[in-house]
Amino acid sequence: MQKARLMQGNEACAEGAIAAGVRFFGGYPITPSTEIMETMAKLLPQVGGKFVQMEDEIAGMGIVLGASLAGVKALTASSGPGISLKQELIGYAAAAEIPVVVVNVQRVGPSTGQPTSPSHGDIMQARWGTHGDHPMIALAPWTVRECYDAAIQAVNFSERFRTPVILLMDEIVGHLRERVVLPEADEIKIYPRRKPKMSREEGYQPYRSDDDLVPNVANFGEGYHIHVTGLVHDETGFPSGSAKITEEVINRLHEKINRAQEEVILYDEFWLEDAEYAVVAFGGTARTAYEAVRNARARGLKVGMVRLFTIWPFADAEIAKLSKQVKGILVPELNYGQLVHEIERAVAGRCPVKLLAKYNTEIFTPQEIETAITEFCK
């Protein structure tokens, strides 16, 4: 049996990625994500993996894409301005359908901001930070153990859909230490790298998709003729200027995620059976919100909570359902207001939505959220 350990969120993230089969890390140190890099540098050589510190964040993103195309599950980690620098190659990964995980341990911004302070300022960047039109998967863990599990889930989603996945952590969870019992290796479900189902002689085309709309692109060095480009391409992988193919490719990139929303959109519900009001929270703030809602319940207030694990694609159906049940929704965010706009869109006027924003480098206290709940319930 696995023994209980005292672990940091960033350490758990790195160990989860390795458990999921990640064998390559390329990146550049940046607070508050650096412990992921340090843990990878220590552990990857022990399992036959490779660690490379690059000269900057752009190179760190480029090298993990190259590693992934060569058949190795790959991960990079950064924060704030480092994620901004990676955006062009994240868009490239989406277009070329390269599986890779990008960890963003969020901090207060913009620019260099407050490097050691917690924030949720990159919620919209995770979805809309890159150029062009494509979907994005982003996951936000709220415990140290879930940092481990979320890393595994992020790797699995990236391999399952051949797409970049953003692991949208925050400084609270990344630097938090908790007692953790990790699962045994045989308890972990790992999605393997997709493989071609036919030979070149049988007419193999790298970007011909399966029934799930995801292609089985061969790894470089395995004898297949492969061409990878950021340009819109046909099934051969070579660029195409066709209007018809352009439309088909962009539709497929979206639809391969859209048709799997029940698989991808994950969340928790608490005390919703008789709730008249609800709190919707995520990441480190969800920990505080949980305590606040529990305290409010103890005082007789009928308030429930939804904790979003999947941030993108957004849980439109769940929030729409919630808005038909409650009289109002409170949204605490460590930013000026980002996810609240998606919640307002999904609610579509069925009930009031109130933002509780904080962006002064400090985390919420349970009392702050509880006070907001009390005022909202009047």
Side-chain angles (χ1 to χ4, degrees), residues 326-340:
V326 299
K327 299 176 182 178
I329 297 173
L330 178 69
V331 187
E333 293 191 68
L334 290 177
N335 56 43
Y336 198 77
Q338 294 192 21
L339 201 70
V340 66

Side-chain angles (χ1 to χ4, degrees), residues 117-190:
S117 300
S119 173
H120 290 144
D122 299 347
I123 298 298
M124 287 299 170
Q125 185 204 42
R127 176 64 186 91
W128 304 108
T130 68
H131 46 284
D133 194 11
H134 60 82
M136 185 58 70
I137 298 174
L139 309 176
W142 73 326
T143 68
V144 172
R145 168 58 196 269
E146 195 172 68
C147 289
Y148 182 91
D149 297 334
I152 295 171
Q153 187 69 271
V155 174
N156 283 344
F157 280 158
S158 72
E159 297 290 333
R160 160 80 172 83
F161 298 105
R162 287 199 65 97
T163 189
V165 174
I166 308 295
L167 187 47
L168 200 59
M169 294 171 56
D170 56 51
E171 189 276 338
I172 302 169
V173 178
H175 282 162
L176 179 70
R177 294 186 185 274
E178 289 183 313
R179 179 185 182 275
V180 174
V181 177
L182 300 180
E184 299 286 351
D186 60 2
E187 297 174 340
I188 300 171
K189 295 181 180 179
I190 298 176

